[in-house]
Amino acid sequence: MENTFDAIVVGSGISGGWAAKELCEKGLKTLVLERGRNVEHLKDYPTAMKNPWEFEHRGSMTKAFIDQNPLITKAAGFGEDTAHFFIKDADHPYVQKKPFDWIRGYQVGGKSLIWGRACQRWSDYEFKAPARYGYGIEWPIDYNDISPWYTHVEKFIGVCGNKDGIEAMPDGDFLPPFDLNCVEQHMQQTLKEHFPGRHLVQGRWAQLSKPNQIHLEQGRGQCQCRNLCMRGCPYGGYFSSVTSTLPWAEKTGNLTVRPFSVVHSVIYDDDTGKASGVKVIDTNTMEEHIYNAKVIFLNASALNSTLVLMNSKSERFPNGLGNDNDLLGRYVAFHLYRGWAGGTIDGFEDKYFYGKNPTECIIANYRNLKERDTDFVGGYTIFTGAYRNRAGEVPENEPQIGADFKEKLTKPGPWQMYMYMQGETIPKATNRITLSKTETDQWGIPLIETDVDYDDNDEKMIQDFLTESRKMMSKMGARDIYAHDNKQSPGLDIHEMGGARMGNDPKTSMLNEHNQVHGCKNVFVTDGACMTSTGNQSPSILYMALTARAANFAAEQVKQGKL
């Protein structure tokens, strides 16, 4: 009986933490399984309060480390101060049939400790566009179904932002936004005057600009504008499952967290037609354990949750749990981050800004909304902003020492502006992951093989962004404008989605409108694997909303004896 629970949650990150919170609050004894080490708030943030000069290499990694870890060192935010929350390349290999940079953080809290924290809501356009324009199947839910769950999540985690009334990016339940600086205000006004339908808004971020009582009850405090979030925040100023959902679940007395636990597979019971539990391998002892539950939530991240389903083979499901249609592992998609632009702007040299704003401005998607207006499908969000270099102009040929050098360092440089895209991509059956037939990891689990690539639609979208960003920055008065395609591999966006998508028809999807596996209703998938399409907004808050919705449904089904 000690291995029997009401619910099992695989993964402790952004969506896993929400599954645990909701299930525990509903009275279900819940086991959270995490393949990585334990991380506790405050205790396990070794670099949180360090000054730059206290790092041996001033925040950089050695050439030897980079040579040994060419993948993970590409990740946004990776450095000497955050490396403790990322895995090393050699510890968790996978097979790349085509280049795919898979960024992972294996610990209690997962990538919620190192995420970007952007929290835009999808609009109904994103739910309807794939079926409307023929590049995907119909979502089994729409904005009205998920809107109250967005609110539920926003109130608890704390999302700052302004109510801007933009149809393409609906307003939420926001804390006060962080201020735009003087150049960002100029950028916003220029768009209003010269680009009707394009809106620059303050960042909608999981950041406590002004905590409410619910956040204080979580033990969290106001963001100090240090912008050192990925080190782990001792103030709890940004949302992570370590600071918020997991401690909240623990207070119910219904939570058990087991780190160092790799989930091998979900166990299917032919007699009941349900999953009975999961098989786990202890990463330290290599011992196998079986844990049983009425409900299982897969929240191990898109590719890992798909891996677990594919490795869950039985007489009923010889090709993976629920995989009656050969769709499991297919329709893997991601966000398009290849377009970047920037420039210098004159005329604001008498102004500066206070603090380190942990958010970025957003230009909401303006493409293919009410009607298709481009030669590509989908749209793109633009993240943007303006800043001044802390040091003034120091010619490279001058000595980097002495009083004159120090004096120049005290004077801020010119204002810079930047834009980068986050584009929707088309989920395709050919973009997929499979299990290796020959290679396994150190626990005997088959390695993932990735076969994911860009397409012509992506190339057209990139060119549109590069053209339009130049136009916008030119109107804003920028000089020395650059706009380029960085050609990065898929995956480096850290927004992998799909593999076990939602849909109305079991013939064309893996999950129903409640995120249940069509062929095994007590298994739920609510992380990125469930995504039917990618939208253009950052997906994490949608994962949280889908998870809260599904967990409440599951708890009610258990209460009624249906699961």
Side-chain angles (χ1 to χ4, degrees):
M1 293 299 294
E2 66 183 16
N3 283 9
T4 299
F5 297 82
D6 296 317
I8 291 172
V9 178
V10 181
S12 62
I14 280 173
S15 62
W18 264 95
K21 170 192 174 293
E22 298 295 312
L23 294 167
C24 287
E25 281 187 318
K26 294 295 182 181
L28 275 65
K29 296 293 184 181
T30 302
L31 171 66
V32 172
L33 296 167
E34 169 55 52
R35 68 183 297 153
R37 65 187 175 96
N38 192 34
V39 168
E40 295 180 28
H41 181 48
L42 297 177
K43 175 186 172 185
D44 294 310
Y45 304 157
T47 64
M49 304 303 289
K50 281 191 174 183
N51 293 303
W53 55 87
E54 295 180 87
F55 292 95
E56 183 178 1
H57 306 104
R58 302 299 185 265
S60 298
M61 305 305 292
T62 64
K63 183 177 185 302
F65 186 95
I66 294 171
D67 289 344
Q68 293 170 3
N69 297 274
L71 169 61
I72 202 65
T73 50
K74 297 178 188 177
F78 182 89
E80 193 176 20
D81 57 338
T82 61
H84 50 285
F85 288 144
F86 291 84
I87 67 164
K88 293 182 178 179
D89 290 2
D91 291 342
H92 300 278
Y94 62 103
V95 180
Q96 300 180 57
K97 291 184 176 180
K98 296 173 184 173
F100 186 90
D101 294 335
W102 188 18
I103 308 301
R104 290 156 289 168
Y106 292 154
Q107 62 262 324
V108 170
K111 293 200 293 289
S112 77
L113 289 160
I114 49 175
W115 68 307
R117 309 175 307 284
C119 287
Q120 315 101 293
R121 290 188 179 199
W122 277 31
S123 72
D124 219 28
Y125 292 124
E126 283 71 57
F127 288 102
K128 300 292 177 59
R132 179 183 177 188
Y133 295 129
Y135 63 95
I137 63 169
E138 184 180 2
W139 275 81
I141 61 173
D142 60 21
Y143 178 74
N144 290 331
D145 294 315
I146 203 67
S147 177
W149 296 102
Y150 270 132
T151 302
H152 179 70
V153 168
E154 288 162 347
K155 286 181 176 179
F156 190 80
I157 70 173
V159 176
C160 63
N162 189 55
K163 291 185 181 296
D164 299 292
I166 300 171
E167 192 176 8
M169 196 169 69
D171 295 329
D173 195 287
F174 295 143
L175 303 175
F178 287 83
D179 292 334
L180 301 176
N181 63 42
C182 58
V183 174
E184 290 164 353
Q185 292 173 20
H186 166 73
M187 295 166 69
Q188 183 185 59
Q189 188 60 37
T190 302
L191 283 188
K192 286 182 180 179
E193 292 176 3
H194 298 283
F195 296 90
R198 301 189 189 186
H199 306 276
L200 185 150
V201 303
Q202 286 137 306
R204 297 176 177 185
W205 243 248
Q207 217 81 26
L208 296 185
S209 56
K210 185 179 180 181
N212 288 332
Q213 183 60 33
I214 186 65
H215 309 125
L216 300 177
E217 290 174 10
Q218 295 170 38
R220 300 168 61 199
Q222 184 169 338
C223 172
Q224 300 298 300
C225 297
R226 306 188 314 149
N227 200 21
L228 301 175
C229 311
M230 288 188 181
R231 295 182 180 186
C233 179
Y235 308 98
Y238 76 96
F239 167 78
S240 76
S241 55
V242 170
T243 60
S244 180
T245 46
L246 290 176
W248 195 266
E250 188 174 18
K251 287 196 295 186
T252 67
N254 293 324
L255 178 68
T256 301
V257 178
R258 192 185 198 282
F260 303 110
S261 301
V262 173
V263 174
H264 174 278
S265 55
V266 176
I267 301 167
Y268 181 78
D269 187 329
D270 286 299
D271 293 333
T272 63
K274 298 178 182 178
S276 61
V278 298
K279 177 181 174 180
V280 169
I281 301 173
D282 188 295
T283 64
N284 293 319
T285 67
M286 303 298 288
E287 293 178 322
E288 293 185 3
H289 300 272
I290 302 296
Y291 293 96
N292 302 306
K294 299 172 184 175
V295 172
I296 297 166
F297 270 69
L298 294 183
N299 299 94
S301 80
L303 302 193
N304 276 324
S305 289
T306 303
L307 180 156
V308 171
L309 289 172
M310 290 193 295
N311 206 41
S312 302
K313 298 179 180 180
S314 61
E315 185 175 344
R316 167 68 182 84
F317 295 111
N319 299 313
L321 184 66
N323 193 24
D324 289 331
N325 46 24
D326 190 34
L327 293 183
L328 184 60
R330 296 185 183 273
Y331 298 101
V332 171
F334 49 91
H335 270 150
L336 188 57
Y337 268 77
R338 281 170 42 188
W340 291 72
T344 301
I345 184 166
D346 301 318
F348 299 87
E349 286 77 11
D350 61 337
K351 298 180 177 65
Y352 202 70
F353 52 88
Y354 177 77
K356 296 181 181 179
N357 189 341
T359 74
E360 288 183 292
C361 308
I362 299 169
I363 298 178
N365 176 42
Y366 52 83
R367 288 306 197 201
N368 300 322
L369 295 171
K370 288 183 170 62
E371 59 185 23
R372 183 174 171 183
D373 53 20
T374 67
D375 61 350
F376 57 86
V377 295
Y380 52 85
T381 287
I382 297 174
F383 292 107
T384 185
Y387 62 94
R388 294 188 82 173
N389 291 319
R390 292 180 63 188
E393 299 285 352
V394 181
E396 292 183 4
N397 59 353
E398 288 191 7
Q400 308 291 294
I401 193 171
D404 288 343
F405 173 64
K406 291 179 181 178
E407 177 63 23
K408 288 176 179 176
L409 289 179
T410 67
K411 298 175 181 177
W415 282 93
Q416 308 285 337
M417 65 171 62
Y418 67 90
M419 295 181 182
Y420 64 92
M421 69 184 298
Q422 179 177 278
E424 184 171 0
T425 61
I426 300 175
K428 299 181 291 292
T430 53
N431 272 358
R432 66 183 303 194
I433 64 169
T434 52
L435 297 184
S436 174
K437 293 181 172 57
T438 58
E439 297 184 65
T440 61
D441 63 18
Q442 55 267 57
W443 303 287
I445 299 172
L447 296 186
I448 282 180
E449 294 183 346
T450 61
D451 189 0
V452 180
D453 204 354
Y454 295 107
D455 60 23
D456 289 341
N457 197 75
D458 300 325
E459 304 298 334
K460 291 175 181 178
M461 186 182 291
I462 293 165
Q463 291 307 312
D464 185 74
F465 164 79
L466 296 177
T467 299
E468 295 304 312
S469 60
R470 280 184 176 276
K471 288 180 183 178
M472 288 185 282
M473 287 192 292
S474 180
K475 271 299 181 192
M476 292 168 183
R479 61 176 170 85
D480 302 329
I481 296 171
Y482 65 86
H484 70 271
D485 176 354
N486 65 17
K487 302 288 187 180
Q488 71 181 40
S489 300
L492 196 57
D493 52 281
I494 324 183
H495 288 177
E496 59 269 12
M497 291 174 255
R501 65 179 181 176
M502 297 172 70
N504 290 311
D505 187 349
K507 294 179 181 178
T508 59
S509 61
M510 287 292 301
L511 311 173
N512 68 11
E513 72 274 19
H514 297 294
N515 295 81
Q516 296 168 284
V517 174
H518 284 301
C520 188
K521 293 297 177 62
N522 67 331
V523 175
F524 293 75
V525 184
T526 63
D527 59 14
C530 78
M531 296 289 280
T532 309
S533 60
T534 73
N536 62 81
Q537 299 90 340
S538 298
S540 296
I541 193 169
L542 180 53
Y543 302 164
M544 291 188 257
L546 288 168
T547 301
R549 179 176 180 268
N552 278 266
F553 173 81
E556 187 61 30
Q557 292 284 292
V558 170
K559 182 180 178 181
Q560 296 176 10
K562 295 179 180 179
L563 290 180

